[in-house]
Amino acid sequence: MQTPILVIGATGNIGRVLIQRLLQQGRLVRAATRHPERYPAHPGVTPIYFDYEQPDSFAPALAGIKQVFAIAGPASTGVTLPFSPFVAQIQRAGVEHLVLVTTMPILRSDGLHLWDEVEQPVLQAGVPCTFLRPNWFMQAFVDSFMATMVKQGRLCVPAADARISLIDARDIGEVAAALLTAEEHRTHAYTLTGGEALNFTEIAATLAHASGRSVEYHHEPLETLGVTELNAAGGTMTPIKNLTYLFKTLRQGSFAEVDPTVERLIGRPPTTFAHFANEHAAVWQTEPSPQSTRSA
Ligand SMILES: NC(=O)c1ccc[n+]([C@@H]2O[C@H](COP(=O)([O-])OP(=O)(O)OC[C@H]3O[C@@H](n4cnc5c(N)ncnc54)[C@H](OP(=O)(O)O)[C@@H]3O)[C@@H](O)[C@H]2O)c1
């Protein structure tokens, strides 16, 4: 009988596309989620309870599994969950290939990569792993505080004139599918970016064109919003100081690199921001709720 592939983050932007692709290639999937009871029934997919904060959920999810796709946690701006207990269980389970999403290098003040706490335990355990290190997701303009700013017509973030090669998270799902169904794999790290590096003036103009609204970019510190945290990627509430650090890293040019890996692995150019914005135009055409920049 075919062994299923365990997908952690099955309900997320990346996981949903990955599962579609794996099913199209005739693979079976075990879909890890904190809410298996809500997971839509689908032939070839078995939902299973999994929560990084509940180590008891690791062994049942990994039982009999040889290949794992995982996001390292729900947050995008800092490692919030201890990763080592999960890695230890992966090792015990005899997993043969882990495809793990971390992020493009973000250096901390002590010189370490923000995600070393995730990647190092995997390397030390000797688990065969492909690290996927993506840039910021285009989805941040749909599911974070920036979506509200776009609806209000003022994208006020401290990006100066820095460029960023945003990636559509769905392209990462395709990359992961290509890697999980490849004959061979070895421990490797891929930087994943979109195919163009835009500054926020160009991003605002693209969003304005797609939505039919006026959207202007203004360089402003996030502190002027007068809040301590904001709804960042995936709806995770994130301290302003973490987001401020991310924007500082952006201004230093750390997210401007355009890397050819996505096209090489999926055989087509990465999704452009203009295409993404046109597809999601309806999101920015609704009226913002009162005070939604603060609470969104
Ligand atoms: N957003 C960015 O710009 C960016 C950039 C680089 C890297 N990343 C990384 O990409 C990943 C996010 O991927 P995505 O966009 O596909 O996800 P997403 O759409 O934000 O969805 C979050 C996923 O995390 C799962 N999740 C939340 N809390 C969990 C927990 N305690 N235990 C297990 N699973 C949990 C959710 O599953 P259930 O709710 O079903 O349990 C859901 O599938 C993160 O690891 C982030 O660090 C993001």
Side-chain angles (χ1 to χ4, degrees):
M1 208 177 94
Q2 195 192 113
T3 310
I5 297 175
L6 177 66
V7 176
I8 295 172
T11 58
N13 296 306
I14 305 170
R16 288 194 304 268
V17 171
L18 168 61
I19 290 174
Q20 275 173 18
R21 293 290 177 271
L22 292 175
L23 294 175
Q24 283 163 1
Q25 295 179 46
R27 304 303 300 266
L28 298 177
V29 172
R30 190 178 292 171
T33 165
R34 291 166 300 170
H35 308 287
E37 72 289 352
R38 291 188 210 155
Y39 195 86
H42 199 291
V45 186
T46 309
I48 190 152
Y49 172 71
F50 178 90
D51 187 340
Y52 274 122
E53 297 191 65
Q54 302 296 331
D56 289 351
S57 68
F58 299 170
L62 285 160
I65 291 287
K66 298 289 172 218
Q67 290 170 287
V68 177
F69 166 84
I71 59 169
S76 66
T77 51
V79 181
T80 53
L81 301 164
F83 206 62
S84 297
F86 176 63
V87 176
Q89 189 60 47
I90 281 202
Q91 202 181 16
R92 272 195 289 276
V95 167
E96 291 169 3
H97 188 201
L98 168 66
V99 174
L100 179 64
V101 177
T102 61
T103 179
M104 255 173 115
I106 302 170
L107 285 185
R108 302 191 308 205
S109 49
D110 58 8
L112 288 174
H113 176 353
L114 188 64
W115 286 74
D116 275 347
E117 320 171 24
V118 172
E119 295 190 356
Q120 286 305 322
V122 177
L123 291 171
Q124 281 157 12
V127 175
C129 181
T130 311
F131 295 111
L132 303 183
R133 295 174 174 169
N135 205 341
W136 288 18
F137 298 175
M138 293 178 186
Q139 278 74 7
F141 292 92
V142 168
D143 64 11
S144 83
F145 67 95
M146 290 195 291
T148 307
M149 288 181 166
V150 175
K151 289 183 198 181
Q152 291 168 338
R154 286 172 57 85
L155 186 52
C156 302
V157 289
D161 199 28
R163 293 190 171 271
I164 181 162
S165 53
L166 295 164
I167 184 167
D168 185 337
R170 297 170 299 179
D171 289 349
I172 306 169
E174 292 196 31
V175 167
L179 293 168
L180 283 162
T181 52
E183 288 292 311
E184 286 185 21
H185 54 78
R186 59 194 165 93
T187 295
H188 197 72
Y190 292 110
T191 297
L192 303 179
T193 73
E196 59 195 342
L198 304 175
N199 61 31
F200 271 68
T201 305
E202 291 163 341
I203 288 171
T206 307
L207 292 166
H209 187 261
S211 64
R213 284 177 176 261
S214 159
V215 184
E216 285 178 8
Y217 163 58
H218 299 271
H219 172 94
E220 268 180 34
L222 294 174
E223 285 76 6
T224 57
L225 292 170
V227 293
T228 54
E229 54 179 23
L230 281 166
N231 175 352
T236 318
M237 293 309 290
T238 305
I240 290 282
K241 67 175 174 35
N242 293 15
L243 293 169
T244 296
Y245 188 72
L246 261 191
F247 277 100
K248 183 177 165 199
T249 311
L250 168 74
R251 289 196 303 276
Q252 290 165 345
S254 301
F255 302 130
E257 175 191 350
V258 173
D259 187 289
T261 299
V262 170
E263 180 162 3
R264 193 160 55 75
L265 292 176
I266 66 177
R268 64 158 175 81
T271 305
T272 63
F273 190 60
H275 181 85
F276 177 89
N278 287 334
E279 268 187 294
H280 292 83
V283 171
W284 307 297
Q285 285 161 348
T286 58
E287 291 307 314
S289 54
Q291 293 186 331
S292 50
T293 308
R294 286 163 191 275
S295 59

